[in-house]
């Protein structure tokens, strides 16, 4: 296999060469511990400070509001478990049925521990009903002194964008604390925490061309929270553990590249994605696009090929050098249909055939053309082999 077409950028991205170059000195001569008293460590601490300023600029936040973590999973857990730790049983949690497991699992743990936890549904386009959020926040049963709302900004599987600005307004009006998992919007749409007043926000470096193993946890000043990671006094005692200096520097470089290049990239990604989508809809019958097509990330396309399995499609494309996914990377390995696609009520003939194409700045029109050449015969062949289809028996297709 000579060619690799990587269309799985919501799972992870290539480290940008500029990011790699920025990190290299910190694997060599600049190895000091930023917490050390001596000047050698202090010279490294300055780079961590500069990185914090760059990340803050990316989010229009204050540098003091940026905490470096190991990944978005840690940031999500810090927000949810840290808030629960602060308020104890007095906390009610509202989230959605389509969150990433890094949010859903800590919320379900809180539920098992006796907290009141509500998962809001989505409609057939994967959109949230804000009236339901308002209703949940206004319930007379909401006698809890504190409510945490954890709602993602963009869905990793469908790319659907939630109206997080309106969510923030509603939360403010009801005095609820708002956390958003902004992993998939990083580098794809502008994030400004002054315009969209969330209290906490999570991002992961490897989703926007920094390495795996470093994350952002934004915490607005004054937010009531206990630290999730206990130990030393790093990050002003808000996240213990020696700073991962090379990755923090790389993360800041990725933020800078995203900040400077985002406008052009959005235009490019939208053109690539739209060509891919139009080409698939023209060349393959019995296909549906999953998710709200007007409020969607520019790089993401989720489609269901009815009557066949997404895993089989991904497997055959992989043989042709094309990388796509059938759900969140974390759920792969299981053949259960995606919880996101199921929550949208996608018909059973299409649930299993859902696949995700997700693009990055490094993709090209030639690659889109290559996929549009190779994909239709794969779909045709799988359909011929499938015992199910529009003219076949679907009664056992579940
Ligand atoms: N949240 C969302 C929306 C994601 O897409 C992911 C990763 O796929 C995560 C959280 C977890 O990120 P990480 O595995 O880097 O901690």
């Amino acid at each position: 296999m000579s060619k690799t077409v990587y269309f799985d950028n919501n799972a992870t991205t290539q480290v940008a060469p500029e990011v790699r170059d920025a990190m290299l000195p910190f694997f060599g001569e600049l190895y000091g511990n930023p917490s050390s008293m001596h000047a050698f460590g202090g010279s490294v601490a300055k780079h961590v400070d500069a990185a914090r300023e760059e990340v803050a600029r990316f989010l229009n936040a204050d540098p003091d509001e940026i905490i470096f973590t190991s990944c978005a999973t840690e940031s999500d857990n810090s927000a949810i478990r840290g808030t629960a730790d602060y308020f104890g049983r007095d906390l009610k949690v509202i989230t959605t049925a389509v969150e990433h497991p890094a949010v859903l699992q800590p919320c379900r743990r809180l539920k098992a521990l006796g907290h009141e936890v509500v998962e809001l549904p989505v409609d057939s386009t994967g959109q949230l009903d804000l009236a339901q959020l308002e209703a949940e926040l206004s319930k007379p049963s909401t006698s809890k002194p504190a409510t945490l709302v954890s709602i993602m900004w963009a869905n990793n599987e469908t790319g659907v964008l939630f109206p997080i600005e309106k969510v923030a307004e509603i939360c403010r009006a009801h005095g609820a604390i708002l956390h958003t998992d902004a992993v998939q919007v990083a580098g794809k749409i502008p994030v400004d925490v002054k315009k969209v007043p969330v209290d906490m926000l999570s991002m992961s470096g490897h989703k926007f061309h920094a390495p795996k193993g470093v994350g952002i946890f934004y915490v607005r000043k004054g937010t009531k929270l206990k630290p999730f990671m206990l130990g030393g006094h790093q990050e002003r005692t808000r996240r213990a553990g020696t700073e991962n200096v090379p990755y923090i520097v790389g993360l800041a470089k990725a933020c800078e590249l995203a900040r400077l290049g985002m406008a052009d990239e959005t235009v490019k990604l939208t053109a690539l994605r739209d060509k891919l989508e139009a080409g698939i809809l023209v060349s393959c019958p019995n296909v549906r696009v999953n998710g709200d097509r007007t409020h969607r990330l520019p790089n993401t396309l989720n489609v269901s090929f009815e009557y066949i399995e997404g895993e089989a499609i991904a497997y055959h494309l992989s043989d042709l050098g094309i990388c796509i996914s059938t759900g969140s990377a974390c759920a792969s390995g299981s053949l259960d249909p995606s919880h996101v696609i199921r929550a949208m009520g996608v018909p059973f003939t299409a649930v299993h055939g859902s696949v995700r194409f997700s693009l990055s700045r490094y993709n090209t029109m030639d690659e889109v053309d290559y996929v549009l050449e190779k994909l239709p015969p794969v779909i045709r062949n799988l359909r011929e082999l499938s015992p199910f289809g529009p003219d076949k028996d679907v009664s056992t297709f579940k």
Side-chain angles (χ1 to χ4, degrees):
M1 183 177 72
S2 53
K3 193 178 174 98
T4 297
V5 174
Y6 187 77
F7 278 7
D8 198 14
N9 288 280
N10 287 9
T12 199
T13 59
Q14 178 188 333
V15 173
E18 299 90 331
V19 168
R20 194 176 49 223
D21 290 348
M23 290 166 56
L24 284 177
F26 300 89
F27 292 114
E29 66 277 15
L30 290 173
Y31 62 85
N33 185 330
S35 301
S36 296
M37 295 298 291
H38 43 71
F40 184 63
S43 67
V44 170
K46 283 197 190 102
H47 291 276
V48 175
D49 292 344
R52 200 182 306 281
E53 276 169 27
E54 183 57 56
V55 173
R57 199 170 302 131
F58 181 54
L59 302 178
N60 196 20
D62 226 65
D64 283 354
E65 298 175 317
I66 304 300
I67 300 174
F68 293 117
T69 61
S70 64
C71 59
T73 300
E74 184 191 323
S75 305
D76 287 341
N77 273 266
S78 301
I80 296 160
R81 302 174 82 170
T83 307
D85 204 11
Y86 186 95
F87 288 101
R89 286 294 165 81
D90 286 343
L91 184 73
K92 170 176 176 169
V93 181
I94 301 173
T95 187
T96 79
V98 295
E99 299 295 314
H100 189 275
V103 165
L104 277 180
Q105 292 308 327
C107 287
R108 288 176 186 170
R109 166 67 64 87
L110 291 183
K111 189 168 187 170
L113 292 173
H115 285 268
E116 186 182 352
V117 178
V118 176
E119 289 178 20
L120 298 173
V122 293
D123 68 14
S124 61
T125 71
Q127 265 306 347
L128 205 60
D129 179 356
L130 291 176
Q132 287 197 6
L133 172 63
E134 285 238 52
E136 201 51 60
L137 284 165
S138 319
K139 268 191 183 164
S141 71
T142 310
S143 54
K144 303 276 187 195
T147 305
L148 171 68
V149 174
S150 181
I151 290 187
M152 68 199 322
W153 198 316
N155 190 273
N156 45 304
E157 295 190 36
T158 58
V160 169
L161 287 159
F162 281 160
I164 209 73
E165 197 163 352
K166 292 202 182 106
V167 169
E169 261 171 43
I170 294 170
C171 287
R172 283 253 154 140
H174 289 269
I177 304 162
L178 174 60
H179 164 251
T180 188
D181 178 327
V183 167
Q184 293 296 343
V185 295
K188 296 171 194 158
I189 60 167
V191 172
D192 181 333
V193 294
K194 298 219 162 53
K195 273 200 202 134
V196 181
V198 298
D199 298 300
M200 293 177 278
L201 173 147
S202 311
M203 284 183 179
S204 215
H206 71 105
K207 306 289 185 177
F208 62 113
H209 306 293
K212 297 158 192 65
V214 65
I216 300 171
F217 183 32
Y218 160 81
V219 182
R220 183 176 299 282
K221 270 189 201 109
T223 304
K224 292 177 173 146
L225 187 72
K226 290 226 172 135
F228 176 56
M229 297 279 273
L230 302 175
H233 292 292
Q234 293 88 358
E235 301 295 279
R236 302 199 296 136
T237 321
R238 294 172 303 172
R239 194 275 184 183
T242 302
E243 295 86 346
N244 185 347
V245 180
Y247 283 39
I248 288 171
V249 169
L251 174 70
K253 189 66 183 176
C255 288
E256 185 193 335
L257 294 175
R259 184 169 55 79
L260 299 175
M262 201 177 314
D264 291 345
E265 258 172 49
T266 301
V267 174
K268 175 186 163 168
L269 288 172
T270 307
L272 293 176
R273 193 272 316 274
D274 288 354
K275 181 168 184 195
L276 181 65
E277 178 177 286
I280 291 173
L281 290 174
V282 162
S283 59
C284 303
N286 298 102
V287 172
R288 47 177 285 152
V289 176
N290 294 316
D292 181 344
R293 286 161 83 178
T294 44
H295 302 100
R296 188 170 46 156
L297 289 171
N299 79 319
T300 307
L301 170 63
N302 189 307
V303 280
S304 279
F305 296 91
E306 288 197 84
Y307 309 109
I308 51 179
E309 299 276 350
E311 283 76 15
I313 302 168
Y315 182 78
H316 285 281
L317 289 184
S318 173
D319 274 353
L320 297 162
I322 300 167
C323 309
I324 61 160
S325 98
T326 56
S328 71
C330 320
S332 64
S334 130
L335 284 181
D336 287 344
S338 140
H339 71 288
V340 175
I341 301 300
R342 269 183 301 157
M344 290 161 58
V346 171
F348 74 91
T349 50
V351 164
H352 289 270
S354 103
V355 295
R356 178 186 71 189
F357 301 85
S358 50
L359 313 177
S360 86
R361 70 171 72 125
Y362 298 116
N363 291 125
T364 63
M365 271 301 176
D366 281 353
E367 291 178 326
V368 169
D369 289 339
Y370 179 75
V371 172
L372 288 176
E373 178 199 325
K374 298 293 178 192
L375 177 68
V378 165
I379 301 299
R380 262 197 309 277
N381 288 344
L382 287 172
R383 288 242 170 91
E384 270 166 28
L385 293 172
S386 172
F388 312 106
D391 310 319
K392 302 178 190 173
D393 177 25
V394 292
S395 59
T396 54
F397 193 93
K398 290 224 166 75

